[in-house]
Amino acid sequence: MPSEMAEAIRQLIQDKGISEDSVKQTIENTLKAAYKRTYGTAENAVVRFADDMSDVSIYSRKTIVDGVYDPVTEIELEDALKLSPECEVGDEIDILEDPKKFDRSAVSTGKQTAHQELNESFKDNLYNEYKSKVGEIIIGYYQREHNGNIYVDLGKVEGVLPVKYQSPREKYEKNDRIKALIVDLKRTSNGLQLVLSRSDPNFVRSIVELEVPEVYDKTVEIHKIVRDAGYRTKIAVSATREDVDPVGACVGLKGVRIQNVIRELYGEKIDVLKYDQDPSIFIKNALSPAEVIKVVILDEEKRQALAIVADSQFSLAIGKQGQNVRLANRLCDWSIDVKTEEQAAEMDFSEIETRKAAQNLFKDDEGNNYEEIASISELPGVEERVVEILKAAGIEDIERFVEAVKDGSINNISDLTKTEIEKVSNLINESVEFVDETVDTDDATDETASDDSEEEYFCPECGAKITLDMTHCPVCGVEFEFKEDEEK
């Protein structure tokens, strides 16, 4: 039959979830605290447990001396021989202590230490158990309300549903079941408190994952969720497989799946729409349930767009107090202006088309903006060795390289071959377009005069400076000849 102590330890482990090692450590610290309170030190206190945890003892470890100076840590040889006939001066001996002889205040100190350590151990275990559950759904029961905050009984711990995380249209009574999202953990004097939310978009995401297997197994992906908690939610979804309809999967047969989500949100309206990389199509979908005739991208950089709808769809597109278009703005991350066909007909789109044409001048065939290349290292396909050699020579940017080729100083870099110089020149010709700065006519009079008097020539292949008496380029080696002007 187990002892009372062993039974108490088992009960602690079962009810509080505290490990056996933690309980043993707590008991040991308790006895040592009482010992220290009685003798002024606990450095020589030794605590031993029975193998079956049925008993625990505390000993005073004392040094055997011939002439005691400190009775707490020392014992006379004569007294020690009564306990162990084989002991000698200098040996250590453990003497059993009776905790019942400790001072009452010492016992009180021990109890307080034990209580504090058990509470801290319990809090730590709870914290470690629930910290990995942040972002998960938990179910509890309405307990009480204080200053608008709702306190929820979650079993081991208490949950709080703050006012700011509540859905404004939801009301609860005592013992009502509450399903919520864990968003944070707080340590309190009584233990641990979970901060809950029913207004977070991730709460809807978790509910949808529970109701829609395709979302849970990633066949259908939720790109973004925006909410006006209690009133309307918009969910943008896409499928990772072509044979799966993402919207249909979320809605379910006859709307069963989405109705379960709506029921959990106490009647909140939910729009499930298809995500599209094309902003025009995505904006059109985001304004559902309104039917959009056309979407005009006003400014792609500023992410401004115009949605044109029929007169009968205008109020539906805007929504009550602008709710629908406001949620669509947040979902797409675009500023959407909604106009009727009649209002759009009165608008001047010529400026918009001109701006688009200007923007397209700086785009490649795939519609991506050209990137400005300034340094040698940014050239596509340039060798790292060449970049390092040029850098060591003080040539990092493209303009400096071109100048070095023109004045011939590039040839002074001994570690750089003519072939490598030619490759870099070709990469520059293929990747970089030089734009001449406009020079004011009045300021350039002297320059023009000097240009007319002395004309310079450059290699058509690599751009190196050449003279009329050359037959080959000194840099790239291309052959050429000069022809006299027939008019001269």
Side-chain angles (χ1 to χ4, degrees):
M1 184 175 179
S3 67
E4 292 183 6
M5 178 178 166
E7 181 62 25
I9 291 174
R10 187 194 64 78
Q11 197 70 30
L12 273 174
I13 295 171
Q14 181 177 335
D15 296 347
K16 298 289 187 179
I18 304 173
S19 67
E20 182 177 313
D21 288 339
S22 295
V23 176
K24 288 173 68 176
Q25 187 64 48
T26 300
I27 295 172
E28 182 176 338
N29 292 342
T30 301
L31 290 172
K32 284 185 175 182
Y35 183 94
K36 183 177 181 180
R37 184 77 176 180
T38 302
Y39 296 111
T41 181
E43 291 183 3
N44 66 323
V46 179
V47 177
R48 294 196 183 101
F49 289 88
D51 293 339
D52 60 356
M53 296 293 288
S54 61
D55 194 17
V56 61
S57 303
I58 184 167
Y59 296 83
S60 290
R61 179 161 291 174
K62 297 184 179 184
T63 304
I64 300 172
V65 296
D66 188 8
V68 173
Y69 177 76
D70 182 4
V72 175
T73 60
E74 296 173 343
I75 185 173
E76 285 283 359
L77 175 61
E78 183 180 348
D79 296 330
L81 288 171
K82 296 176 182 178
L83 301 173
S84 177
E86 298 178 356
C87 61
E88 298 177 356
V89 172
D91 291 347
E92 288 185 337
I93 186 170
D94 291 342
I95 301 172
L96 181 65
E97 293 284 345
D98 184 0
K100 294 179 181 179
K101 294 181 180 180
F102 290 164
D103 294 342
R104 181 171 295 181
S105 60
V107 175
S108 177
T109 300
K111 287 182 178 179
Q112 186 177 354
T113 301
H115 184 71
Q116 184 177 348
E117 289 195 9
L118 286 172
N119 277 340
E120 288 300 320
S121 181
F122 179 58
K123 289 178 186 178
D124 289 341
N125 285 343
L126 280 179
Y127 187 86
N128 293 330
E129 179 182 348
Y130 283 97
K131 70 178 179 180
S132 61
K133 296 184 179 181
V134 173
E136 295 183 5
I137 294 288
I138 195 168
I139 299 175
Y141 295 90
Y142 180 97
Q143 197 173 38
R144 68 184 189 281
E145 182 267 337
H146 181 67
N147 292 334
N149 300 324
I150 295 174
Y151 292 86
V152 184
D153 180 8
L154 300 171
K156 290 183 182 179
V157 295
E158 181 183 60
V160 59
L161 186 61
V163 176
K164 64 178 179 178
Y165 292 150
Q166 296 176 24
S167 180
R169 297 175 62 186
E170 296 176 1
K171 304 297 180 185
Y172 302 98
E173 295 182 359
K174 192 171 179 62
N175 295 326
D176 278 354
R177 170 185 167 279
I178 296 178
K179 181 184 288 187
L181 185 77
I182 304 173
V183 294
D184 197 9
L185 304 180
K186 285 184 178 180
R187 292 179 182 269
T188 67
S189 57
N190 297 325
L192 188 70
Q193 190 177 72
L194 306 189
V195 182
L196 310 177
S197 174
R198 281 186 59 86
S199 62
D200 196 301
N202 285 323
F203 176 63
V204 179
R205 182 188 295 270
S206 298
I207 297 297
V208 172
E209 286 180 353
L210 292 173
E211 296 293 339
V212 184
E214 290 85 351
V215 173
Y216 183 79
D217 64 18
K218 307 300 181 184
T219 303
V220 173
E221 292 183 349
I222 297 177
H223 282 266
K224 193 173 182 180
I225 299 176
V226 293
R227 288 186 76 190
D228 190 351
Y231 300 96
R232 184 180 288 275
T233 289
K234 286 184 179 289
I235 308 174
V237 297
S238 65
T240 56
R241 285 169 36 192
E242 293 183 0
D243 60 334
V244 175
D245 174 17
V247 176
C250 293
V251 172
L253 186 64
K254 296 183 180 180
V256 172
R257 290 177 175 177
I258 201 64
Q259 283 301 320
N260 290 336
V261 179
I262 292 172
R263 192 176 300 111
E264 183 58 51
L265 299 178
Y266 289 79
E268 185 174 317
K269 295 179 180 178
I270 300 178
D271 300 327
V272 182
L273 53 102
K274 190 174 182 180
Y275 168 79
D276 201 290
Q277 291 184 344
D278 186 334
S280 297
I281 299 175
F282 189 29
I283 290 170
K284 193 173 184 178
N285 295 343
L287 286 169
S288 64
E291 295 180 4
V292 179
I293 298 172
K294 183 181 180 182
V295 173
V296 179
I297 303 299
L298 302 178
D299 193 318
E300 191 169 347
E301 290 185 358
K302 295 181 180 178
R303 300 178 74 84
Q304 295 176 346
L306 173 68
I308 303 172
V309 299
D311 292 349
S312 60
Q313 295 289 306
F314 183 74
S315 59
L316 189 60
I318 296 294
K320 187 176 181 181
Q321 298 179 346
Q323 183 188 76
N324 194 60
V325 69
R326 185 171 64 252
L327 288 175
N329 284 342
R330 288 164 52 195
L331 188 69
C332 302
D333 197 22
W334 278 71
S335 177
I336 306 169
D337 187 14
V338 180
K339 300 288 185 184
T340 64
E341 289 181 285
E342 185 178 344
Q343 291 170 333
E346 298 174 358
M347 296 179 66
D348 182 10
F349 290 97
S350 59
E351 183 181 345
I352 298 170
E353 296 301 326
T354 302
R355 184 166 62 248
K356 283 184 179 179
Q359 291 174 345
N360 289 335
L361 289 175
F362 300 96
K363 293 185 176 181
D364 56 23
D365 295 336
E366 297 179 357
N368 299 316
N369 290 329
Y370 288 119
E371 294 184 3
E372 182 179 347
I373 299 176
S375 65
I376 300 293
S377 61
E378 293 175 341
L379 290 170
V382 67
E383 296 179 12
E384 289 186 12
R385 173 186 171 278
V386 175
V387 173
E388 292 300 321
I389 294 173
L390 289 171
K391 184 177 180 181
I395 302 175
E396 292 189 61
D397 58 88
I398 292 172
E399 286 188 13
R400 179 73 187 88
F401 177 86
V402 174
E403 289 174 4
V405 171
K406 287 181 180 179
D407 60 26
S409 62
I410 194 76
N411 299 317
N412 297 331
I413 305 176
S414 58
D415 294 334
L416 207 61
T417 65
K418 288 186 177 182
T419 302
E420 289 171 332
I421 296 172
E422 183 181 347
K423 282 184 179 180
V424 175
S425 297
N426 291 337
L427 286 174
I428 292 174
N429 292 333
E430 293 171 2
S431 308
V432 180
E433 182 178 351
F434 293 93
V435 180
D436 294 332
E437 294 184 359
T438 304
V439 181
D440 188 72
T441 307
D442 295 335
D443 296 337
T445 305
D446 296 336
E447 264 184 53
T448 306
S450 63
D451 288 345
D452 290 340
S453 62
E454 185 178 346
E455 189 172 0
E456 294 181 337
Y457 300 92
F458 302 96
C459 175
E461 288 294 325
C462 68
K465 187 176 181 180
I466 59 175
T467 59
L468 293 174
D469 59 343
M470 293 181 180
T471 59
H472 293 79
C473 175
V475 176
C476 66
V478 68
E479 183 179 355
F480 46 77
E481 64 176 326
F482 294 94
K483 293 184 178 180
E484 294 185 0
D485 193 337
E486 293 181 359
E487 293 183 0
K488 294 182 178 178

